[in-house]
Amino acid sequence: MNAPLPDVPEVRVVGLPQLTQGFDLVERLDLSMHLKVHGPLEPIAGERLAALAEEISLRGRGGAGFPFARKLRAVAEAAIRRGVRPVVVVNGSEGEPACRKDTVLLNRAPHLILDGALLAAEALGARTLVVAVTRNSTEISVRAALAERGLSDRRGQPLRARVVRTPERMVSGEASAVIRAVGGGPALPPGRRERASESGVGGAPTLLSNAETFAQLAVAARIGPHRYANAGVDGEPGTVLLTLSGAVARPMVVEVPTGVPLRYVLQLAGAPPLPQGVLTGGYHGNWIDAAAVHEAVVSKASLAAVGGSLGAGAILPIGPETCPLGEALRVANWLAAETAGQCGPCRLGLPAAAGGLSDVLNGGGPAALEALREVVGAVKGRGACKHPDGSARFFSSSLSAFTDDLAAHVLDGGCGRPTTGVLPLPAPGYEEAEESIPTGERLAVDWTLCQGHGLCADIAPELIRMGADGFPVLSDTSVPTHLRGRAQRAVRRCPALALRLEQAAGGGSARPAERPALPAASRKALGPGRG
């Protein structure tokens, strides 16, 4: 199957729409239609804006869930202390294959996101606004929205606004990777952790949050905290956007108030009535079983209580007809290929973990399972960014959620079910534009020639390891660009001439998608402000 999600899947709403208001009228709300649907928006004084974010318990909707008010105040305090203008960044870099909520907003309601970002820029006294996006469709929509407002990156404007394109990769949406890309560098985490509120774009204090967060701020600023809290549960008021895919009849993005039963949302998308598991929070999230699905409601607290996570809002059920560990292996191989290639836990640990899971599924027995758990444990908490931690969480959750299937593979040689490829992954040749992207090539061995010298595993341990039988075991992932030279050296140095690089089935090195052409096209730090 492996059908990638479209940029803009079907959009549904449970209850009254807030973020998706007007979607039943037009495909995209331009500025004129946006104002007709939502009405005008007045600036809000800095401290009042922070208080509003606190009243509605607004947290980042990109997965980390950091309180927005704390971030806003931290940026303001740093800007005042250092005497520099801060920068506002909208993170629309949605590189996870199972997430489309930010892409839907950027394509269909870009002005709602810009409203929230401009409110924050006004309150902070920022003179630079950057919107980071991953896809052609989102870039075109945001550029058009900026042009409709008369915003551009030309000198002399009170606010300079621009769009930055990042590659469609898991690590490119990490905050430090976005900031690095905005500064003209590669969209990869820098390997050192520094608070954006202190030093972000160009070294200036930077307010960075994802697209839905800014849209939520704009909604609350218009209707006020009391009306905003009419939907949702205490402590987590309002609505959330979820992306539903996996074993569903209709992949969709749905706006739903917090507190709605998770089983109802799954039923809306046509999920199996008794899924054998539901992945919550996306590919850095956690699996929950059918019993937990019937207990949980849509909220961070409820999902956490049953072992799940809201994360970036991706919900993926799988039915009884597929091997859940086989599905997990497909995702594990993709996660390993998404490594930034900058630290050992990511560069070596994730491919080793994916290979270990493959060993478990292919009859490695208890020894393979124990080795896999050891590798996953070694990855946790040691990466230069959050990708190793999130991937390790996925591995651990997959092992603990499907114990019966795990026992069947470890003790009986398999569960007897095929892997149907129900979890969405990018199609071969998806957007590639940075250092550690997949090349579309794989290593292959001619087993009639291989003599088990092991030199290849010494040269490229990220891609090849020696198996218990003394022969090489190759990674199932496409060779990342930053490891291609090492793979070529391993091929050249093979004494038996048994190793080769070949084009992956259906793959090929993709060229970055063409960029659309640019259309023609008074602020204070947190304090008294205006309005």
Side-chain angles (χ1 to χ4, degrees):
M1 294 173 65
N2 187 20
L5 293 176
D7 281 10
V8 183
E10 178 184 357
V11 178
R12 301 286 295 273
V13 62
V14 176
L16 295 176
Q18 291 186 168
L19 299 172
T20 60
Q21 191 174 355
F23 281 22
D24 57 334
L25 302 174
V26 291
E27 284 299 308
R28 178 184 179 276
L29 279 73
D30 60 15
L31 183 57
S32 174
M33 181 59 74
H34 168 74
L35 292 174
K36 288 178 182 176
V37 169
H38 292 284
L41 181 60
E42 294 296 322
I44 297 178
E47 184 52 41
R48 281 181 55 201
L49 189 63
L52 171 66
E54 276 185 331
E55 285 187 77
I56 64 170
S57 302
L58 181 61
R59 292 177 173 267
R61 300 299 177 92
F66 193 83
F68 186 83
R70 283 173 56 189
K71 191 181 293 187
L72 189 66
R73 289 193 175 105
V75 172
E77 289 166 4
I80 293 170
R81 183 177 68 252
R82 295 175 52 193
V84 297
R85 294 278 185 176
V87 177
V88 174
V89 177
V90 177
N91 186 1
S93 297
E94 201 167 42
E96 183 170 344
C99 293
R100 287 295 184 273
K101 65 184 182 66
D102 287 345
T103 302
V104 163
L105 282 177
L106 288 163
N107 274 277
R108 300 196 61 181
H111 288 285
L112 196 61
I113 298 163
L114 291 179
D115 278 348
L118 292 172
L119 276 176
E122 174 79 16
L124 290 168
R127 289 187 175 173
T128 302
L129 169 65
V130 183
V131 184
V133 299
T134 56
R135 298 180 176 88
N136 273 344
S137 60
T138 49
E139 184 176 1
I140 292 169
S141 178
V142 173
R143 287 183 182 274
L146 292 177
E148 288 165 7
R149 289 178 180 252
L151 295 172
S152 73
D153 198 26
R154 289 193 297 270
R155 293 182 180 274
Q157 294 200 119
L159 178 72
R160 297 178 65 178
R162 59 191 173 102
V163 181
V164 169
R165 182 73 173 268
T166 61
E168 192 179 336
R169 299 197 55 229
M170 193 76 161
V171 295
S172 67
E174 202 266 343
S176 63
V178 172
I179 288 172
R180 198 175 178 191
V182 170
L188 296 172
R192 64 184 184 280
R193 297 187 180 181
E194 195 169 20
R195 290 184 178 180
S197 59
E198 287 289 333
S199 179
V201 176
T206 299
L207 176 70
L208 182 147
S209 204
N210 88 308
E212 185 192 343
T213 310
F214 284 110
Q216 294 281 3
L217 184 66
V219 168
R222 278 187 169 89
I223 67 177
H226 299 297
R227 279 185 59 197
Y228 185 92
N230 284 341
V233 297
D234 292 341
E236 296 182 47
T239 65
V240 296
L241 287 178
L242 304 175
T243 309
L244 282 90
S245 62
V248 296
R250 300 176 301 280
M252 65 176 59
V253 168
V254 57
E255 181 180 10
V256 55
T258 57
V260 168
L262 179 60
R263 63 181 182 275
Y264 176 79
V265 179
L266 291 169
Q267 181 183 358
L268 186 68
L274 286 175
Q276 63 173 321
V278 175
L279 182 59
T280 59
Y283 294 156
H284 278 175
N286 295 290
W287 290 96
I288 61 175
D289 60 22
V293 168
H294 281 268
E295 294 177 23
V297 301
V298 176
S299 78
K300 292 174 69 71
S302 176
L303 285 170
V306 296
S309 63
L310 187 58
I315 306 293
L316 301 101
I318 58 173
E321 70 286 345
T322 189
C323 171
L325 295 176
E327 294 288 347
L329 177 60
R330 293 177 61 252
V331 175
N333 286 328
W334 180 80
L335 289 170
E338 287 292 288
T339 169
Q342 299 181 125
C343 67
C346 199
R347 184 169 59 88
L348 299 173
L350 296 187
L357 182 57
S358 178
D359 286 348
V360 170
L361 297 187
N362 289 310
L369 177 59
E370 184 59 32
L372 171 58
R373 285 178 168 149
E374 185 177 340
V375 169
V376 172
V379 166
K380 293 178 181 177
R382 300 174 58 208
C385 70
K386 295 297 184 183
H387 181 56
D389 284 353
S391 300
R393 186 183 308 115
F394 174 82
F395 279 100
S396 298
S397 178
S398 298
L399 295 179
S400 61
F402 303 108
T403 52
D404 290 346
D405 294 272
L406 185 62
H409 281 281
V410 171
L411 302 176
D412 299 327
C415 67
R417 288 174 293 178
T419 299
T420 59
V422 70
L423 299 180
L425 292 173
Y430 70 99
E431 169 88 353
E432 301 173 351
E434 290 296 337
E435 296 174 6
S436 57
I437 57 178
T439 60
E441 295 176 309
R442 296 182 189 275
L443 285 167
V445 174
D446 183 338
W447 296 110
T448 64
L449 298 176
C450 181
Q451 298 174 19
H453 291 96
L455 188 60
C456 56
D458 292 336
I459 295 173
E462 304 93 336
L463 303 170
I464 308 167
R465 59 191 175 86
M466 298 305 291
D469 58 357
F471 284 87
V473 178
L474 306 185
S475 169
D476 290 334
T477 62
S478 175
V479 175
T481 298
H482 75 286
L483 293 178
R484 191 171 190 273
R486 199 170 298 183
Q488 290 174 325
R489 285 199 300 276
V491 169
R492 290 195 298 267
R493 297 285 298 277
C494 177
L497 303 179
L499 191 65
R500 65 182 184 274
L501 268 173
E502 62 182 26
Q503 202 67 29
S509 290
R511 295 180 176 84
E514 293 184 5
R515 305 289 176 85
L518 275 165
S522 67
R523 312 178 191 285
K524 301 179 177 66
L526 273 178
R530 290 195 286 128

